[in-house]
Amino acid sequence: MTSATDTISAQAGPAFDAGAAVSNGEVRDFVALLKPRVMSLVIFTALVGMLVSHAAANPVIAAASLLMIAVGAGASGCLNMWWDADIDAVMSRTRTRPIPAGRITPDEALSFGTALSVGSVLALGLIANWLAAALLAFTIAFYVVVYSMGLKRWTDQNIVIGGLAGALPPVVADAAVSGSVGLPSLVLCALIFLWTPPHFWALALVKSGDYAKAGIPMMPNVRGPDATRTQILAYTLVLVPFGLLPVWLGFGGLVYAAVSALSGLGMIALAAQVYRVRTGDQAARAAMQLFGFSVLYLFLLFAALLAEHGLGLFRPVPGLA
Amino acid sequence: MGSPAPRPPQLSEADQKRRRARSVAIALALGFMVLLFYVVTIAKLGPQVLNRPL
């Protein structure tokens, strides 16, 4: 054989003979498989889930649990990239990911994701408790098996139902520190669940060509942009009042009430703009504005709870205490 | 006799560098896990572990 086949180059992994295959991946490629930005969001929402539960947990156990929840989330992201590599290769937003770019082989991603999934669940069980571990296992399985392998390519409700996986980290975190699941973390879960459709559909309105090319039945591709705009507005009109529920339940104070009300008005205004402006560059701009602001909205709500429960800024809303 | 054993692949300098970086990352992760489990164990035992009759 020639020296070219003996020397491992930077080609895609599957092109090599299995016996001679050596990984081409750099450390940063393996880190990218874990979707670090999603992991940071999971850490943030899980931390707030821990704080609102007010369980008397050892800070070391809480921090280690948070780390395992983040690793579990990263592992599910890795397995999602393994399964969706064919889709990622045809979408402009994702074609530079490690697997479609040929820097990591699918087998490597599968092994890496499986090892981290099993490891994070077992470690969380040993560090915190087995209820939290079971919830983390359910979250990973739901994201990979139910969403990635099932819903994503099958129904326009993919991100609605699949959104549960992204909404569960506060519940897992609550279970890790308290050993049970309380109403506050369930409300936070429902909040993220309701936030997911307007957030992703705003992006899907702009990227519908990409999704069509990949054959993913996103709402704008299946029901059309107009129906999607109606759904975005409807979900937002449910989401924003729901965002005030922590105030009525007593774990959202004055700061949270103000942040939730003001940013909620912003969400409604931008969703109404998406509903109203339907053609041209302005329509795409309106959708991207809503997409960007929805990230800020969720961040602000959770940051307000973090400030109230983590930094001692909680002041009950008069008349509701 | 069976077929000869496959020759190990000849790694380029860049491949060797990447493999070393991966090995260091795995070592650091394993070291961190050992430390994490040690600290968690001490935290779970609590201060009462030192309170025993001599």
Side-chain angles (χ1 to χ4, degrees), chain A residues 122-232:
Chain A
L122 289 179
L124 186 61
L126 292 168
I127 291 169
N129 57 67
W130 294 102
L131 172 65
L135 285 167
L136 182 62
F138 174 78
T139 305
I140 295 170
F142 192 86
Y143 186 62
V144 177
V145 179
V146 178
Y147 171 69
S148 300
M149 297 181 177
L151 299 167
K152 186 169 180 179
R153 303 178 195 220
W154 177 55
T155 169
D156 59 7
Q157 296 297 308
N158 47 16
I159 54 104
V160 179
I161 308 166
L164 180 64
L168 278 169
V171 180
V172 182
D174 181 11
V177 292
S178 71
S180 63
V181 174
L183 187 60
S185 66
L186 286 174
V187 169
L188 295 185
C189 175
L191 190 60
I192 301 172
F193 185 78
L194 287 172
W195 165 87
T196 306
H199 168 73
F200 276 108
W201 284 337
L203 179 69
L205 275 175
V206 179
K207 299 280 182 184
S208 60
D210 248 11
Y211 286 115
K213 207 161 54 176
I216 303 174
M218 290 298 281
M219 180 66 77
N221 304 84
V222 177
R223 305 272 179 98
D226 288 350
T228 306
R229 288 185 167 89
T230 307
Q231 296 265 351
I232 286 174

Side-chain angles (χ1 to χ4, degrees), chain A residues 6 8 24-25 126-127, chain B residues 7 10 15 18 22 32 44:
Chain A
D6 285 344
I8 303 302
N24 288 316
L126 292 168
I127 291 169
Chain B
R7 280 186 302 148
Q10 302 297 305
D15 292 327
R18 277 197 291 266
R22 288 196 303 270
F32 179 76
K44 276 180 170 281

Side-chain angles (χ1 to χ4, degrees), chain A residues 43-292:
Chain A
I43 291 173
F44 183 52
T45 57
L47 174 62
V48 175
M50 284 180 174
L51 291 173
V52 298
S53 81
H54 282 289
N58 184 305
V60 172
I61 305 292
S65 301
L66 207 55
L67 181 65
M68 289 309 132
I69 293 168
V71 172
S76 62
C78 176
L79 291 172
N80 167 266
M81 281 202 212
W82 161 71
W83 184 259
D84 280 345
D86 58 332
I87 294 176
D88 288 346
V90 294
M91 290 177 62
S92 59
R93 189 171 61 90
T94 54
R95 67 166 62 116
T96 56
R97 284 177 173 176
I99 302 175
R103 299 192 299 274
I104 301 263
T105 68
D107 284 351
E108 280 179 301
L110 175 61
S111 309
F112 188 51
T114 306
L116 289 183
S117 297
V118 174
S120 61
V121 169
L122 289 179
L124 186 61
L126 292 168
I127 291 169
N129 57 67
W130 294 102
L131 172 65
L135 285 167
L136 182 62
F138 174 78
T139 305
I140 295 170
F142 192 86
Y143 186 62
V144 177
V145 179
V146 178
Y147 171 69
S148 300
M149 297 181 177
L151 299 167
K152 186 169 180 179
R153 303 178 195 220
W154 177 55
T155 169
D156 59 7
Q157 296 297 308
N158 47 16
I159 54 104
V160 179
I161 308 166
L164 180 64
L168 278 169
V171 180
V172 182
D174 181 11
V177 292
S178 71
S180 63
V181 174
L183 187 60
S185 66
L186 286 174
V187 169
L188 295 185
C189 175
L191 190 60
I192 301 172
F193 185 78
L194 287 172
W195 165 87
T196 306
H199 168 73
F200 276 108
W201 284 337
L203 179 69
L205 275 175
V206 179
K207 299 280 182 184
S208 60
D210 248 11
Y211 286 115
K213 207 161 54 176
I216 303 174
M218 290 298 281
M219 180 66 77
N221 304 84
V222 177
R223 305 272 179 98
D226 288 350
T228 306
R229 288 185 167 89
T230 307
Q231 296 265 351
I232 286 174
L233 187 59
Y235 268 95
T236 305
L237 289 173
V238 176
L239 168 69
V240 172
F242 193 90
L244 288 165
L245 196 58
V247 180
W248 303 115
L249 292 175
F251 69 93
L254 274 173
V255 174
Y256 179 85
V259 167
S260 178
L262 289 174
S263 58
L265 287 176
M267 276 293 287
I268 291 174
L270 288 172
Q273 192 184 5
V274 169
Y275 182 79
R276 214 175 48 247
V277 184
R278 300 185 172 211
T279 53
D281 289 346
Q282 285 185 325
R285 200 174 308 125
M288 286 313 288
Q289 277 176 347
L290 176 63
F291 175 74

Side-chain angles (χ1 to χ4, degrees), chain A residues 14-56:
Chain A
F16 295 117
D17 169 59
V22 174
S23 177
N24 288 316
E26 294 188 24
V27 173
R28 65 180 170 193
D29 294 323
F30 285 93
V31 173
L33 283 177
L34 302 179
K35 299 188 179 179
R37 278 191 302 180
V38 176
M39 275 175 87
S40 60
L41 190 65
V42 166
I43 291 173
F44 183 52
T45 57
L47 174 62
V48 175
M50 284 180 174
L51 291 173
V52 298
S53 81
H54 282 289

